[in-house]
Amino acid sequence: MTDREQRAAAVRFAETWKDKGYEKGQSQPYWLSLLRDVYGVEHPEEYISFEDQVHLDHTSFIDGYIPATKVLIEQKGLGKDLLKAIRQSDGSMLNPFEQAKRYITDLPVSRHPRWVITCNFGEFNVYDMEKPHGEPEKILLSDLPKEYYRLQFLVDTGSNITAKEMEISIKAGDVVGLIYDSFLKQYKDPDNEETLKSLNKLCVRLVFCLYAEDAGIFGKHQMFHDYLVQYDTRHTRQALINLFHVLSQKKEDRDPYLDEDLAAFPYVNGGLFSGDDIEIPQFTDELRELLLTKASADFDWSEISPTIFGAVFESTLNPETRRSGGMHYTSIENIHKVIDPLFLDDLKAEFEDIKADPVLKTRERRLKAFQDKLASLHFLDPAAGSGNFLTETFLSLRRLENSVLRVLMQGQGSFGFDSPIKVSITQFHGIEINDFAVTVAKTALWIAESQMMQATADIVQEDLDFLPLKTNANIVEGNALRIDWDEVAPKDTLDYIIGNPPFVGARFMDKKQKNDLNSVFPGWKNAGNLDYVACWYKKASDMMKGTSIRASLVSTNSICQGESVANLWKPLFAEGVHFDFAYRTFRWNSEASKKAHVHCIILGFSVAANASPKKIFEDGRFQILKHINGYLVDAEDVFVESRVKPVCDVPEIGIGNKPIDGGFYLFEKEEMDEFIRKEPAAEQYFHPWYGSREFINRKPRYCLWLGDCSPAELRRMPECMKRVQGVREYRLSSPSDGTVKLADNPTRFHVENMPKGTYIVVPEVSSERRIYIPMGFMTPDIMCSNLVKLIPDASLFHLGVLESEVHMDWMRAVAGRLKSDYRYSKDIVYNNFPWPEPTDEQKAKIEQTAQEILDARAKYPDCSLADLYDPDVMPPELRTAHQNNDKAVKAAYGLKKGDAAYDSESARVAFLMKLYQKIARK
């Protein structure tokens, strides 16, 4: 089904179902028609199931479930409010999405949905369960003709071809790993740096030969295998040396008396086989068999994905180097998150528009001009790694060019040009610090070029010569933060900067990386608090000034959270940089056997004309926004900077106690009991001790607090004295002068915060799965660590506001993250939070709802806060108490049902940021 046909089908569907929709009688015909008529499912009754049973405290039924794409549907009648909670049989109030989430708890893990859709015939609310607390994407039936693609995930089961390429490529990486390990054992000095460089070059050459024989580049299938198999183990090494020498020679430069089997090989060049500086060790029988059988005869290299394999190839041979360097290899799906919204979507749309031109001559002229445009585009990846971004971009452009050629060829016997291909690997530029990765990147591009040339030959029905290789010296070896990018890819011809720069946190950089950062940010305020990846954003921003260059880079989500927003984006925005699109936080998966999981964002930015609309993506779906600020919110450019006092008139917040005691004062319960058995007089000096983990799990440790113990009493307790001495010695051995000084007072903590009255505890780190960060009151006899925040003199009103959906929205927008977990800070989150100014009645209502939250928790004394706030098993009365509290807090802000900020998280954050600006100016 073409785009035009699908659009027309969506028009008919929307017209047919306009103002119709009875939940019990028409739900199934509605979904069967949508899948069959709009999304091309031939037998939708076999594709979707209806009324599957789930067993909660009673039997319920799932309205619809699509196993192939893991979509769960909760259907309501026409006009029903999809965000409104309705009373359930157990008395709880749940909206349709919350109903669906309850059903999920009864499903086996293998059937847990990736997507949940709530629908009322006139509107679809789509929830991505990778972001179970995010806002739904809303699609109106009336908009389906122009937004049908937003429901494409209903039938998008993924490409089987891509899956096969991925499987083959990963297996190929495993084969290369075996070859590498076997060769390494044969070297005389396997730890020598030059030895390892030789081995890397050898593996690259062997991979090219293995690919070339299967892809037909050498001219005959298994030509490499058949050449080597005639030599026994003792002579295989010399045979390989002879072959490499021949592959680097033009026909006219070769020995005229070469053996026929060697002379039959073509000239390769391209720098791949040039030079005799490669050390090749002797073969063993096992190594020869591995190369000839497992790597050659038993494996087809022609179907590998060069994008995936290049990354897997590199990571297989030196995974430790990649991890320590902060690099992460990338899936094809994730690469397209970078390049599609940057340029590829627009190019595809332009091509579709040209194809639809009804005038033959005009269409042909436009197609040729479009092909020229494709051939004029230049790309730079300044952290190229194994070249997977460049390779996949090249493949995407060549596929598009082949589509152009396919249309031009219609009705023609031949293309009529010397070469129909105009897109070239010379359009792709890269900088990479690792010499081996540079070689892998070049090889991956050559393999990609070979595959696409074969595809073009099939279209134009002509034989096209792939060899000799064209040089791709545009990928250079060097430190991207010390190289002038303009010398690698001149800015007057460059169009796009893409890539996945290394991820190293501000506190984890080595001295060399710190020097790199200082060279990129000379004289910048707070530059030392920036992550390493920020350097690439700065250099890209500098390069694109005065040009139309656009960029799309991957980074850890930290640069759009916490202090980083003001430190990095405030000065860059002042220089004209703006976001064109962005992907909010998602999990970045690798394709290698040793997977790297990182929580990332993607930022598309430029300094060219700041046009709207903007797009915010969440795993392929997007919202259209007018503006994207540094927190990836549709709001003005607000910069929430570190503040030592609250911006509003509320109790001050502080960190808990920081002992710096080497663990001598902290005990598990069993350890404390044993200590007291030995030293009964010490019992009065023990206090329950809570950090984030202990508080959330309601499982305290215990602290021996001797700061108030008199010297005479302390000297009568020898076990306590041992602990004091242990702390003293621990502090004296510290490399920090400040810690050494603390040894003078070993019974005291470095930071002491022991409120005299009741106080609120806020965990510093909490799981992103929780809708609310669980907070609560503590009494003065309980001590807390510096892994929680303490608010003395706080009331139920303060707890109610802090536990509200409004405060959670603010926290999610401005807080930092530990991986994807929330990291609550006092100077950014709490001290900048714009509090409401309630009436006495509104304040009393919040106090009441806050108490209801505490009362609901108290009904489950055997449960931890981790249990109670697990969104899958949260008790109905606790959920209801929070919902009532949310309403009370929204009312205190003047938000009413029907206001955008009442129901929408992003609108609430925008509202809060405007309020923050107003308060901060006072």
Side-chain angles (χ1 to χ4, degrees):
M1 185 180 289
T2 66
D3 287 345
R4 184 177 295 178
E5 291 169 339
Q6 196 169 11
R7 193 178 300 114
V11 170
R12 291 192 295 271
F13 180 84
E15 291 175 348
T16 299
W17 288 96
K18 183 180 180 182
D19 299 328
K20 295 179 185 177
Y22 173 56
E23 179 181 347
K24 297 300 181 185
Q26 294 181 311
S27 294
Q28 294 185 21
Y30 180 87
W31 283 96
L32 290 170
S33 174
L34 179 68
L35 291 168
R36 180 185 59 249
D37 301 331
V38 181
Y39 294 98
V41 178
E42 290 189 13
H43 301 288
E45 66 281 356
E46 299 174 4
Y47 188 74
I48 184 173
S49 62
F50 298 102
E51 302 297 326
D52 293 346
Q53 288 189 10
V54 287
H55 302 283
L56 305 170
D57 54 345
H58 61 286
T59 299
S60 294
F61 300 89
I62 297 173
D63 292 329
Y65 183 79
I66 303 175
T69 50
K70 294 187 180 298
V71 178
L72 187 149
I73 299 159
E74 178 63 21
Q75 184 70 37
K76 299 300 177 187
L78 183 67
K80 295 290 185 181
D81 187 343
L82 296 176
L83 299 177
K84 183 177 180 181
I86 58 175
R87 189 171 300 279
Q88 307 297 303
S89 59
D90 62 2
S92 63
M93 300 293 290
L94 301 178
N95 63 34
F97 176 54
E98 291 165 341
Q99 280 183 261
K101 288 206 294 183
R102 180 180 283 191
Y103 295 155
I104 293 169
T105 62
D106 189 60
L107 295 176
V109 174
S110 61
R111 295 195 71 210
H112 280 198
R114 166 63 196 276
W115 311 96
V116 170
I117 300 179
T118 62
C119 179
N120 62 7
F121 291 93
E123 178 183 329
F124 305 86
N125 278 10
V126 180
Y127 296 83
D128 180 357
M129 297 308 288
E130 289 291 323
K131 297 282 185 181
H133 311 311
E135 294 177 41
E137 291 282 346
K138 297 182 180 182
I139 306 167
L140 298 177
L141 177 66
S142 58
D143 291 335
L144 194 64
K146 61 183 179 182
E147 296 188 345
Y148 60 89
Y149 59 89
R150 294 176 65 190
L151 289 177
Q152 194 67 35
F153 64 87
L154 291 169
V155 294
D156 187 6
T157 57
S159 168
N160 292 329
I161 295 175
T162 299
K164 183 179 180 182
E165 286 182 341
M166 186 181 301
E167 181 182 355
I168 291 171
S169 300
I170 293 174
K171 285 182 179 177
D174 292 338
V175 170
V176 171
L178 292 173
I179 292 173
Y180 183 94
D181 291 340
S182 297
F183 266 120
L184 186 60
K185 295 174 185 176
Q186 296 306 112
Y187 280 97
K188 294 185 181 300
D189 188 1
D191 297 324
N192 182 273
E193 185 177 344
E194 292 305 314
T195 294
L196 296 177
K197 285 186 177 182
S198 284
L199 179 52
N200 288 338
K201 288 181 181 179
L202 175 59
C203 286
V204 168
R205 291 184 182 185
L206 290 173
V207 164
F208 184 87
C209 290
L210 291 165
Y211 172 80
E213 70 171 354
D214 286 339
I217 293 173
F218 281 160
K220 190 177 72 171
H221 186 64
Q222 286 213 322
M223 191 170 173
F224 176 62
H225 171 276
D226 293 346
Y227 165 71
L228 282 184
V229 76
Q230 62 186 313
Y231 297 95
D232 60 21
T233 300
R234 190 162 60 93
H235 296 97
T236 301
R237 173 181 179 272
Q238 189 58 50
L240 202 58
I241 292 171
N242 293 341
L243 175 61
F244 289 168
H245 183 67
V246 166
L247 292 174
S248 70
Q249 285 186 313
K250 295 179 181 179
K251 293 277 188 181
E252 58 270 25
D253 295 335
R254 292 178 178 176
D255 182 349
Y257 301 104
L258 270 178
D259 291 341
E260 288 185 6
D261 54 355
L262 272 175
F265 281 94
Y267 167 52
V268 174
N269 195 19
L272 184 57
F273 293 97
S274 61
D276 297 320
D277 57 341
I278 181 171
E279 180 184 352
I280 301 176
Q282 288 290 351
F283 276 70
T284 63
D285 291 341
E286 178 189 5
L287 182 50
R288 178 178 179 275
E289 180 66 16
L290 174 62
L291 183 60
L292 291 174
T293 304
K294 192 175 185 70
S296 181
D298 294 348
F299 195 87
D300 184 359
W301 293 77
S302 65
E303 294 183 305
I304 64 172
S305 161
T307 302
I308 300 169
F309 175 65
V312 173
F313 185 9
E314 183 187 353
S315 62
T316 298
L317 300 193
N318 46 65
E320 296 303 324
T321 301
R322 291 188 64 77
R323 270 201 295 276
S324 63
M327 296 177 284
H328 300 274
Y329 25 89
T330 312
S331 69
I332 290 176
E333 177 189 5
N334 282 339
I335 292 171
H336 279 276
K337 288 175 182 174
V338 171
I339 66 176
D340 287 5
L342 182 65
F343 62 87
L344 196 56
D345 286 343
D346 289 341
L347 290 175
K348 288 180 176 178
E350 184 178 352
F351 175 60
E352 290 298 322
D353 179 66
I354 295 171
K355 275 201 310 181
D357 194 320
V359 181
L360 182 61
K361 284 190 174 181
T362 305
R363 183 171 66 241
E364 183 176 319
R365 175 179 53 77
R366 291 177 66 192
L367 283 168
K368 290 179 178 178
F370 181 67
Q371 186 185 11
D372 289 337
K373 176 180 178 178
L374 296 179
S376 72
L377 299 175
H378 283 259
F379 303 83
L380 169 65
D381 183 347
S386 54
N388 47 2
F389 276 82
L390 295 174
T391 302
E392 185 59 26
T393 302
F394 169 78
L395 287 168
S396 298
L397 252 64
R398 283 287 287 112
R399 290 186 189 112
L400 199 49
E401 182 179 36
N402 278 347
S403 297
V404 171
L405 296 175
R406 192 174 289 110
V407 177
L408 287 171
M409 279 294 297
Q410 291 173 357
Q412 298 183 34
S414 63
F415 196 77
F417 290 104
D418 291 336
S419 173
I421 300 171
K422 294 187 177 181
V423 174
S424 164
I425 58 175
T426 59
Q427 297 168 232
F428 298 84
H429 312 259
I431 306 171
E432 169 54 39
I433 198 167
N434 183 285
D435 62 329
F436 176 56
V438 170
T439 306
V440 172
K442 292 179 179 181
T443 306
L445 276 169
W446 280 321
I447 292 175
E449 186 179 37
S450 162
Q451 290 181 342
M452 295 313 302
M453 184 172 287
Q454 183 57 55
T456 303
D458 293 341
I459 293 169
V460 301
Q461 301 175 18
E462 294 179 11
D463 290 330
L464 302 172
D465 293 327
F466 174 64
L467 295 177
L469 296 176
K470 301 173 186 67
T471 181
N472 49 15
N474 294 342
I475 302 178
V476 301
E477 179 188 342
N479 182 341
L481 302 183
R482 302 287 183 164
I483 285 179
D484 184 352
W485 294 4
D486 191 46
E487 294 181 359
V488 178
K491 66 170 64 177
D492 57 347
T493 59
L494 183 64
D495 296 281
Y496 301 105
I497 299 171
I498 57 177
N500 178 14
F503 305 158
V504 185
R507 303 291 176 263
F508 299 96
M509 283 183 267
D510 59 30
K511 185 176 181 181
K512 184 174 181 297
Q513 290 165 335
K514 275 289 186 185
N515 289 337
D516 285 342
L517 183 137
N518 290 331
S519 73
V520 174
F521 293 98
W524 266 49
K525 179 183 177 183
N526 295 324
N529 292 325
L530 291 173
D531 290 350
Y532 196 45
V533 72
C535 298
W536 276 260
Y537 284 93
K538 175 65 163 63
K539 290 206 69 166
S541 299
D542 288 344
M543 189 170 187
M544 59 177 57
K545 289 175 184 174
T547 74
S548 59
I549 297 170
R550 297 175 63 210
S552 180
L553 298 177
V554 184
S555 76
T556 44
N557 51 17
S558 59
I559 67 166
C560 283
Q561 297 165 354
E563 293 178 280
S564 294
V565 179
N567 291 346
L568 177 63
W569 297 114
K570 185 175 183 179
L572 288 184
F573 283 4
E575 294 177 0
V577 174
H578 54 264
F579 295 148
D580 300 314
F581 66 88
Y583 267 84
R584 288 188 179 132
T585 302
F586 65 100
R587 187 159 160 163
W588 184 270
N589 296 325
S590 80
E591 298 299 353
S593 55
K594 295 184 178 180
K595 296 203 171 195
H597 300 301
V598 187
H599 293 85
C600 296
I601 56 175
I602 296 171
L603 300 177
F605 59 104
S606 64
V607 296
N610 192 0
S612 290
K614 312 295 185 181
K615 292 181 180 179
I616 282 281
F617 288 84
E618 295 204 42
D619 292 302
R621 298 176 299 119
F622 63 86
Q623 294 175 285
I624 300 294
L625 307 178
K626 292 182 180 178
H627 182 70
I628 302 173
N629 73 8
Y631 300 94
L632 306 187
V633 174
D634 185 8
E636 294 180 32
D637 288 328
V638 177
F639 300 100
V640 181
E641 301 187 59
S642 183
R643 185 184 296 270
V644 295
K645 300 279 187 182
V647 72
C648 294
D649 184 17
V650 292
E652 292 190 24
I653 190 172
I655 66 170
N657 296 280
K658 189 175 181 182
I660 307 189
D661 66 331
F664 285 99
Y665 291 146
L666 300 180
F667 296 75
E668 297 293 342
K669 178 143 191 338
E670 297 77 11
E671 295 170 334
M672 176 185 71
D673 291 342
E674 177 63 20
F675 189 91
I676 292 172
R677 189 185 64 78
K678 294 179 181 178
E679 191 121 273
E683 184 172 6
Q684 64 178 309
Y685 296 104
F686 276 97
H687 297 262
W689 178 265
Y690 286 89
S692 291
R693 178 171 56 85
E694 293 84 1
F695 176 76
I696 290 173
N697 290 288
R698 285 183 171 172
K699 188 178 180 181
R701 289 188 290 164
Y702 295 85
C703 176
L704 179 63
W705 168 242
L706 300 170
D708 294 334
C709 182
S710 73
E713 176 70 12
L714 188 54
R715 283 168 58 83
R716 287 194 289 269
M717 296 186 291
E719 293 298 322
C720 289
M721 283 298 295
K722 290 178 186 177
R723 296 284 170 155
V724 172
Q725 186 60 32
V727 172
R728 175 178 168 77
E729 291 173 358
Y730 171 77
R731 292 176 177 176
L732 286 172
S733 66
S734 172
S736 166
D737 292 340
T739 301
V740 171
K741 189 175 181 180
L742 292 174
D744 293 341
N745 295 291
T747 63
R748 311 296 300 202
F749 294 164
H750 174 223
V751 174
E752 295 177 359
N753 189 354
M754 303 168 195
K756 301 300 182 185
T758 301
Y759 57 96
I760 289 177
V761 173
V762 182
E764 183 177 280
V765 178
S766 180
S767 169
E768 65 154 347
R769 292 190 67 246
R770 300 187 184 111
I771 303 171
Y772 307 93
I773 294 178
M775 308 175 190
F777 287 106
M778 287 290 189
T779 51
D781 58 304
I782 295 172
M783 300 180 72
C784 293
S785 81
N786 61 310
L787 297 180
V788 294
K789 303 293 186 286
L790 311 183
I791 311 175
D793 305 318
S795 67
L796 277 170
F797 165 72
H798 298 115
L799 178 67
V801 174
L802 292 172
E803 281 285 37
S804 72
E805 184 179 34
V806 176
H807 184 64
M808 294 300 127
D809 294 339
W810 173 264
M811 180 277 302
R812 276 189 284 269
V814 305
R817 294 286 197 276
L818 183 63
K819 296 183 294 186
S820 63
D821 292 342
Y822 307 132
R823 189 159 196 166
Y824 196 97
S825 69
K826 66 183 187 69
D827 293 343
I828 295 292
V829 180
Y830 183 86
N831 286 344
N832 286 294
F833 179 60
W835 287 71
E837 296 179 356
T839 63
D840 290 343
E841 182 180 353
Q842 289 171 336
K843 184 175 182 180
K845 182 63 176 176
I846 293 172
E847 290 171 345
Q848 174 193 327
T849 55
Q851 186 61 54
E852 288 173 2
I853 291 173
L854 297 178
D855 293 343
R857 293 178 187 174
K859 291 182 179 180
Y860 298 88
D862 61 330
C863 293
S864 69
L865 293 172
D867 298 327
L868 295 175
Y869 282 84
D870 183 328
D872 295 334
V873 297
M874 191 175 191
E877 55 267 57
L878 180 57
R879 189 186 301 271
T880 300
H882 270 285
Q883 290 169 344
N884 291 337
N885 185 65
D886 292 339
K887 292 175 185 176
V889 173
K890 288 176 185 176
Y893 279 98
L895 299 175
K896 301 179 179 65
K897 193 71 176 174
D899 294 343
Y902 193 91
D903 293 318
S904 165
E905 178 178 344
S906 60
R908 273 193 301 277
V909 173
F911 166 82
L912 289 170
M913 287 188 170
K914 287 182 180 178
L915 184 58
Y916 165 75
Q917 282 184 304
K918 181 179 178 182
I919 294 172
R921 290 193 191 108
K922 290 181 180 178

